[in-house]
Amino acid sequence: MHIYANPKRFLSLARWLMPLMLWSGLAMSAGAIAWGLFAVPQDRLMGETVRILFIHVPAAWLGMGGWGALAIASAALLIWKHPLAAIAARAIAVPGMVFCAICLATGSIWGRPTWGTWWVWDGRLTSMLVLLFLYAGYIALSQATAREGGSQKIAAIFALVGAINIPIINRSVVWWNSLHQPPSITAGQSSIDPVFLWPLLAAVIGFSLVFGALVLMRMRALIAEAQVEARLRRRALDDDTPAPTRAGPAMETA
Amino acid sequence: MYEGLDQWDYVVAAYAVGLIALGWLLASSWRAMARAEKRREELKRR
Protein backbone atom coordinates (compact mmCIF):
# COMPACT_ATOMS: atom_id res chain seq x y z
CA MET A 1 0.00 0.00 0.00
CA HIS A 2 2.75 2.43 0.98
CA ILE A 3 4.60 1.63 -2.27
CA TYR A 4 2.02 3.88 -3.96
CA ALA A 5 2.48 6.73 -1.48
CA ASN A 6 4.74 8.21 -4.16
CA PRO A 7 2.42 9.99 -6.66
CA LYS A 8 4.85 9.28 -9.53
CA ARG A 9 4.68 5.54 -8.89
CA PHE A 10 0.91 5.68 -8.46
CA LEU A 11 0.49 7.62 -11.72
CA SER A 12 2.58 5.10 -13.67
CA LEU A 13 0.16 2.40 -12.44
CA ALA A 14 -3.01 4.48 -13.01
CA ARG A 15 -2.00 5.39 -16.60
CA TRP A 16 -2.44 1.80 -17.86
CA LEU A 17 -4.91 0.50 -15.25
CA MET A 18 -7.54 3.23 -15.78
CA PRO A 19 -8.17 2.63 -19.54
CA LEU A 20 -8.08 -1.13 -18.97
CA MET A 21 -10.73 -0.92 -16.24
CA LEU A 22 -12.79 1.63 -18.19
CA TRP A 23 -13.04 -0.25 -21.50
CA SER A 24 -13.41 -3.73 -19.97
CA GLY A 25 -16.02 -2.34 -17.54
CA LEU A 26 -17.98 -0.58 -20.29
CA ALA A 27 -17.93 -3.70 -22.48
CA MET A 28 -19.02 -5.94 -19.62
CA SER A 29 -21.75 -3.53 -18.45
CA ALA A 30 -23.11 -3.14 -22.01
CA GLY A 31 -23.11 -6.94 -22.46
CA ALA A 32 -24.85 -7.48 -19.10
CA ILE A 33 -27.49 -4.83 -19.86
CA ALA A 34 -28.19 -6.35 -23.31
CA TRP A 35 -28.39 -9.79 -21.67
CA GLY A 36 -30.79 -8.49 -19.02
CA LEU A 37 -32.94 -6.52 -21.45
CA PHE A 38 -33.27 -8.96 -24.32
CA ALA A 39 -32.30 -12.51 -23.25
CA VAL A 40 -33.81 -12.86 -19.77
CA PRO A 41 -37.47 -13.98 -19.50
CA GLN A 42 -40.01 -11.86 -17.66
CA ASP A 43 -40.61 -12.54 -13.97
CA ARG A 44 -43.78 -14.30 -12.77
CA LEU A 45 -44.68 -11.46 -10.37
CA MET A 46 -42.81 -8.40 -11.61
CA GLY A 47 -43.24 -9.01 -15.34
CA GLU A 48 -40.93 -7.02 -17.63
CA THR A 49 -39.96 -4.56 -14.86
CA VAL A 50 -37.60 -7.20 -13.42
CA ARG A 51 -35.11 -5.93 -16.02
CA ILE A 52 -34.57 -2.79 -13.89
CA LEU A 53 -32.71 -5.17 -11.53
CA PHE A 54 -29.60 -5.06 -13.76
CA ILE A 55 -29.06 -1.33 -13.23
CA HIS A 56 -30.67 -0.84 -9.80
CA VAL A 57 -28.69 -3.49 -7.89
CA PRO A 58 -25.21 -2.53 -9.25
CA ALA A 59 -26.01 1.13 -8.46
CA ALA A 60 -27.08 0.22 -4.90
CA TRP A 61 -23.96 -1.93 -4.41
CA LEU A 62 -21.67 0.86 -5.64
CA GLY A 63 -23.49 3.57 -3.68
CA MET A 64 -22.98 1.59 -0.46
CA GLY A 65 -19.61 0.09 -1.42
CA GLY A 66 -18.40 3.56 -2.40
CA TRP A 67 -19.00 4.84 1.11
CA GLY A 68 -17.26 1.73 2.50
CA ALA A 69 -14.20 2.50 0.33
CA LEU A 70 -14.39 6.17 1.34
CA ALA A 71 -14.38 5.14 5.02
CA ILE A 72 -11.38 2.80 4.47
CA ALA A 73 -9.44 5.59 2.70
CA SER A 74 -10.35 7.96 5.55
CA ALA A 75 -9.12 5.42 8.11
CA ALA A 76 -5.86 5.07 6.13
CA LEU A 77 -5.49 8.86 6.28
CA LEU A 78 -6.11 9.04 10.02
CA ILE A 79 -4.09 5.95 11.04
CA TRP A 80 -1.19 5.77 8.57
CA LYS A 81 -1.33 9.34 7.18
CA HIS A 82 -1.12 7.81 3.70
CA PRO A 83 -0.51 10.72 1.29
CA LEU A 84 -2.93 9.44 -1.35
CA ALA A 85 -5.69 8.47 1.09
CA ALA A 86 -7.30 11.94 1.19
CA ILE A 87 -7.11 12.16 -2.62
CA ALA A 88 -8.66 8.67 -2.97
CA ALA A 89 -11.48 9.56 -0.57
CA ARG A 90 -12.26 12.80 -2.45
CA ALA A 91 -12.15 10.91 -5.78
CA ILE A 92 -14.62 8.27 -4.55
CA ALA A 93 -17.21 10.75 -3.23
CA VAL A 94 -18.76 12.07 -6.48
CA PRO A 95 -19.05 8.68 -8.29
CA GLY A 96 -20.46 7.19 -5.06
CA MET A 97 -23.05 9.95 -4.83
CA VAL A 98 -24.07 9.56 -8.50
CA PHE A 99 -24.51 5.77 -8.13
CA CYS A 100 -26.51 6.34 -4.93
CA ALA A 101 -28.77 8.79 -6.84
CA ILE A 102 -29.14 6.28 -9.72
CA CYS A 103 -30.16 3.62 -7.18
CA LEU A 104 -32.81 5.91 -5.66
CA ALA A 105 -34.16 7.06 -9.05
CA THR A 106 -34.32 3.59 -10.64
CA GLY A 107 -35.82 2.16 -7.41
CA SER A 108 -38.49 4.84 -7.44
CA ILE A 109 -39.31 4.12 -11.10
CA TRP A 110 -39.45 0.39 -10.29
CA GLY A 111 -41.67 1.02 -7.24
CA ARG A 112 -44.47 2.67 -9.22
CA PRO A 113 -45.54 -0.40 -11.27
CA THR A 114 -44.71 -3.01 -8.59
CA TRP A 115 -45.74 -1.29 -5.31
CA GLY A 116 -48.15 1.27 -6.75
CA THR A 117 -46.14 4.19 -5.37
CA TRP A 118 -43.00 6.15 -6.27
CA TRP A 119 -41.80 6.47 -2.68
CA VAL A 120 -42.44 5.22 0.87
CA TRP A 121 -40.71 6.46 4.01
CA ASP A 122 -39.57 3.00 5.11
CA GLY A 123 -36.23 1.95 6.56
CA ARG A 124 -34.50 0.92 3.32
CA LEU A 125 -35.47 3.91 1.18
CA THR A 126 -34.97 6.47 3.96
CA SER A 127 -31.54 5.14 4.98
CA MET A 128 -30.47 5.17 1.30
CA LEU A 129 -31.64 8.80 1.04
CA VAL A 130 -29.63 9.56 4.19
CA LEU A 131 -26.58 8.07 2.39
CA LEU A 132 -27.13 10.49 -0.52
CA PHE A 133 -27.18 13.42 1.94
CA LEU A 134 -24.04 12.05 3.66
CA TYR A 135 -22.24 12.04 0.28
CA ALA A 136 -23.36 15.66 -0.34
CA GLY A 137 -22.14 16.65 3.13
CA TYR A 138 -18.78 14.91 2.63
CA ILE A 139 -18.24 16.56 -0.78
CA ALA A 140 -19.04 20.03 0.63
CA LEU A 141 -16.80 19.48 3.67
CA SER A 142 -13.81 18.06 1.77
CA GLN A 143 -13.98 20.76 -0.93
CA ALA A 144 -14.23 23.51 1.70
CA THR A 145 -11.24 22.18 3.68
CA ALA A 146 -9.21 21.71 0.46
CA ARG A 147 -10.02 25.27 -0.69
CA GLU A 148 -9.39 26.93 2.69
CA GLY A 149 -6.24 24.88 3.32
CA GLY A 150 -7.78 23.16 6.36
CA SER A 151 -7.11 19.64 7.59
CA GLN A 152 -8.69 16.75 5.65
CA LYS A 153 -9.01 14.96 9.01
CA ILE A 154 -12.41 16.61 9.66
CA ALA A 155 -13.85 15.12 6.45
CA ALA A 156 -12.20 11.76 7.28
CA ILE A 157 -13.86 11.67 10.72
CA PHE A 158 -17.19 12.57 9.06
CA ALA A 159 -16.71 9.63 6.63
CA LEU A 160 -16.01 7.19 9.48
CA VAL A 161 -19.04 8.37 11.50
CA GLY A 162 -21.21 8.16 8.35
CA ALA A 163 -20.15 4.52 7.83
CA ILE A 164 -22.59 3.61 10.64
CA ASN A 165 -25.34 4.06 8.03
CA ILE A 166 -24.05 1.19 5.82
CA PRO A 167 -25.05 -1.73 8.13
CA ILE A 168 -28.31 0.14 8.84
CA ILE A 169 -29.11 0.16 5.08
CA ASN A 170 -28.14 -3.51 4.79
CA ARG A 171 -30.24 -4.70 7.76
CA SER A 172 -33.13 -2.23 7.34
CA VAL A 173 -35.32 -4.76 5.49
CA VAL A 174 -34.80 -7.28 8.32
CA TRP A 175 -35.25 -4.89 11.26
CA TRP A 176 -38.32 -2.97 10.01
CA ASN A 177 -41.43 -3.70 7.94
CA SER A 178 -40.80 -2.61 4.38
CA LEU A 179 -42.28 -2.79 0.89
CA HIS A 180 -38.74 -3.59 -0.22
CA GLN A 181 -37.97 -7.28 -0.49
CA PRO A 182 -35.65 -8.95 2.10
CA PRO A 183 -32.01 -9.67 1.10
CA SER A 184 -31.89 -12.00 -1.93
CA ILE A 185 -28.15 -12.62 -1.79
CA THR A 186 -26.52 -13.47 1.55
CA ALA A 187 -23.09 -14.97 2.29
CA GLY A 188 -22.73 -17.87 -0.14
CA GLN A 189 -26.49 -18.18 -0.79
CA SER A 190 -28.92 -16.70 -3.28
CA SER A 191 -32.68 -16.94 -3.63
CA ILE A 192 -32.47 -15.46 -7.17
CA ASP A 193 -32.98 -17.85 -10.07
CA PRO A 194 -29.70 -18.42 -12.01
CA VAL A 195 -31.36 -17.02 -15.14
CA PHE A 196 -31.36 -13.59 -13.39
CA LEU A 197 -28.33 -14.14 -11.15
CA TRP A 198 -25.66 -14.53 -13.85
CA PRO A 199 -26.45 -11.35 -15.83
CA LEU A 200 -26.78 -9.55 -12.47
CA LEU A 201 -23.28 -10.68 -11.43
CA ALA A 202 -21.92 -9.60 -14.83
CA ALA A 203 -23.56 -6.17 -14.40
CA VAL A 204 -22.18 -5.78 -10.85
CA ILE A 205 -18.62 -6.65 -12.01
CA GLY A 206 -18.90 -4.41 -15.12
CA PHE A 207 -20.20 -1.36 -13.23
CA SER A 208 -17.61 -1.93 -10.46
CA LEU A 209 -14.82 -1.79 -13.07
CA VAL A 210 -16.29 1.47 -14.46
CA PHE A 211 -16.47 2.82 -10.90
CA GLY A 212 -12.80 1.94 -10.34
CA ALA A 213 -11.84 3.69 -13.58
CA LEU A 214 -13.82 6.78 -12.55
CA VAL A 215 -12.01 6.90 -9.19
CA LEU A 216 -8.60 6.58 -10.91
CA MET A 217 -9.57 9.35 -13.40
CA ARG A 218 -10.57 11.70 -10.60
CA MET A 219 -7.44 10.82 -8.57
CA ARG A 220 -5.27 11.69 -11.60
CA ALA A 221 -7.11 15.03 -11.90
CA LEU A 222 -6.69 15.84 -8.18
CA ILE A 223 -2.97 14.89 -8.24
CA ALA A 224 -2.37 17.04 -11.34
CA GLU A 225 -4.21 19.99 -9.72
CA ALA A 226 -2.10 19.62 -6.54
CA GLN A 227 1.12 19.48 -8.60
CA VAL A 228 0.12 22.63 -10.55
CA GLU A 229 -0.67 24.44 -7.30
CA ALA A 230 2.65 23.36 -5.73
CA ARG A 231 4.63 24.46 -8.80
CA LEU A 232 2.88 27.86 -8.92
CA ARG A 233 3.52 28.39 -5.20
CA ARG A 234 7.20 27.46 -5.62
CA ARG A 235 7.55 29.90 -8.53
CA ALA A 236 5.85 32.69 -6.55
CA LEU A 237 8.27 32.07 -3.67
CA ASP A 238 11.25 32.09 -6.04
CA ASP A 239 10.07 35.40 -7.52
CA ASP A 240 9.69 36.94 -4.05
CA THR A 241 13.12 35.79 -2.80
CA PRO A 242 15.83 38.33 -3.72
CA ALA A 243 18.71 36.87 -5.73
CA PRO A 244 21.90 36.60 -3.55
CA THR A 245 24.08 38.46 -6.09
CA ARG A 246 21.79 41.49 -6.00
CA ALA A 247 20.61 41.54 -2.38
CA GLY A 248 23.58 39.94 -0.61
CA PRO A 249 26.16 42.77 -0.74
CA ALA A 250 23.46 45.40 -0.21
CA MET A 251 22.33 43.65 2.99
CA GLU A 252 25.96 43.43 4.19
CA THR A 253 26.76 47.11 3.58
CA ALA A 254 23.52 48.16 5.28
CA MET B 1 -48.60 -5.63 -10.12
CA TYR B 2 -50.58 -2.81 -11.77
CA GLU B 3 -52.46 -4.21 -14.74
CA GLY B 4 -52.78 -2.18 -17.91
CA LEU B 5 -49.53 -0.23 -17.50
CA ASP B 6 -46.90 -0.59 -20.18
CA GLN B 7 -44.06 -2.08 -18.16
CA TRP B 8 -41.48 -1.35 -20.84
CA ASP B 9 -41.99 2.41 -20.32
CA TYR B 10 -40.70 2.03 -16.76
CA VAL B 11 -37.78 -0.14 -17.88
CA VAL B 12 -36.78 2.38 -20.56
CA ALA B 13 -37.14 5.30 -18.10
CA ALA B 14 -34.96 3.57 -15.48
CA TYR B 15 -32.19 2.78 -17.98
CA ALA B 16 -32.39 6.28 -19.50
CA VAL B 17 -31.93 7.92 -16.08
CA GLY B 18 -29.10 5.57 -15.11
CA LEU B 19 -27.17 5.70 -18.38
CA ILE B 20 -27.51 9.50 -18.81
CA ALA B 21 -26.20 10.03 -15.26
CA LEU B 22 -23.33 7.59 -15.87
CA GLY B 23 -22.50 9.23 -19.21
CA TRP B 24 -22.39 12.68 -17.59
CA LEU B 25 -20.16 11.33 -14.78
CA LEU B 26 -17.75 9.69 -17.25
CA ALA B 27 -17.58 12.79 -19.48
CA SER B 28 -17.05 15.24 -16.60
CA SER B 29 -14.41 13.04 -14.91
CA TRP B 30 -12.52 12.53 -18.20
CA ARG B 31 -12.64 16.25 -18.98
CA ALA B 32 -11.42 17.19 -15.48
CA MET B 33 -8.52 14.73 -15.75
CA ALA B 34 -7.51 15.83 -19.28
CA ARG B 35 -7.71 19.55 -18.37
CA ALA B 36 -5.70 19.18 -15.14
CA GLU B 37 -2.98 17.05 -16.77
CA LYS B 38 -2.74 19.41 -19.77
CA ARG B 39 -2.31 22.40 -17.43
CA ARG B 40 0.43 20.54 -15.52
CA GLU B 41 2.32 19.72 -18.74
CA GLU B 42 2.01 23.31 -19.99
CA LEU B 43 3.35 24.66 -16.71
CA LYS B 44 6.24 22.16 -16.79
CA ARG B 45 7.26 23.34 -20.28
CA ARG B 46 7.16 27.05 -19.34
Side-chain angles (χ1 to χ4, degrees):
Chain A
M1 190 70 178
H2 282 276
I3 297 169
Y4 297 107
N6 180 346
K8 215 173 207 176
R9 206 170 290 164
F10 169 79
L11 285 173
S12 67
L13 172 80
R15 270 191 200 109
W16 65 264
L17 190 59
M18 189 277 286
L20 182 71
M21 288 176 87
L22 179 65
W23 297 116
S24 59
L26 284 175
M28 200 159 179
S29 304
I33 287 172
W35 189 356
L37 282 178
F38 307 114
V40 160
Q42 57 172 274
D43 181 65
R44 185 173 58 89
L45 292 173
M46 288 185 278
E48 301 289 1
T49 61
V50 74
R51 299 174 203 288
I52 298 174
L53 181 80
F54 307 108
I55 192 158
H56 176 72
V57 171
W61 148 247
L62 289 166
M64 289 166 64
W67 193 277
L70 204 156
I72 291 168
S74 298
L77 173 70
L78 292 173
I79 299 166
W80 296 294
K81 296 179 175 57
H82 196 286
L84 287 181
I87 288 173
R90 282 185 66 198
I92 292 165
V94 174
M97 186 182 175
V98 171
F99 276 101
C100 186
I102 293 172
C103 165
L104 286 167
T106 55
S108 179
I109 293 167
W110 201 0
R112 184 72 185 97
T114 50
W115 299 340
T117 181
W118 298 101
W119 185 266
V120 280
W121 291 101
D122 73 355
R124 170 57 66 90
L125 277 72
T126 308
S127 54
M128 204 65 195
L129 185 65
V130 168
L131 181 64
L132 184 77
F133 294 149
L134 284 172
Y135 271 120
Y138 178 86
I139 291 165
L141 196 57
S142 63
Q143 283 187 354
T145 48
R147 194 175 49 239
E148 304 299 327
S151 169
Q152 286 291 326
K153 284 181 184 170
I154 302 160
I157 292 166
F158 180 84
L160 287 177
V161 173
I164 294 166
N165 192 39
I166 300 301
I168 293 174
I169 297 172
N170 184 259
R171 304 309 294 164
S172 58
V173 283
V174 178
W175 290 341
W176 300 295
N177 284 327
S178 174
L179 283 177
H180 197 284
Q181 65 181 66
S184 308
I185 301 173
T186 49
Q189 284 187 327
S190 163
S191 58
I192 304 177
D193 191 280
V195 80
F196 299 115
L197 185 63
W198 290 115
L200 178 62
L201 285 177
V204 167
I205 295 168
F207 280 109
S208 301
L209 287 168
V210 173
F211 187 91
L214 280 164
V215 171
L216 288 178
M217 253 184 240
R218 299 185 83 88
M219 283 182 79
R220 279 174 62 173
L222 289 169
I223 289 171
E225 280 168 18
Q227 287 173 333
V228 164
E229 206 175 301
R231 196 173 279 264
L232 287 174
R233 203 176 300 140
R234 222 171 23 241
R235 281 190 188 176
L237 278 173
D238 289 346
D239 291 346
D240 286 347
T241 311
T245 47
R246 275 187 285 143
M251 290 284 276
E252 279 168 20
T253 49
Chain B
M1 191 70 223
Y2 269 32
E3 298 297 333
L5 292 169
D6 188 353
Q7 296 174 358
W8 273 102
D9 290 348
Y10 293 100
V11 175
V12 170
Y15 277 92
V17 167
L19 296 180
I20 288 170
L22 186 60
W24 169 82
L25 182 62
L26 277 167
S28 64
S29 302
W30 185 277
R31 220 175 25 237
M33 179 190 73
R35 198 186 304 145
E37 291 190 341
K38 191 180 166 198
R39 192 159 174 237
R40 181 184 59 197
E41 296 313 311
E42 280 174 0
L43 203 65
K44 232 185 242 181
R45 275 199 299 271
R46 251 189 269 157

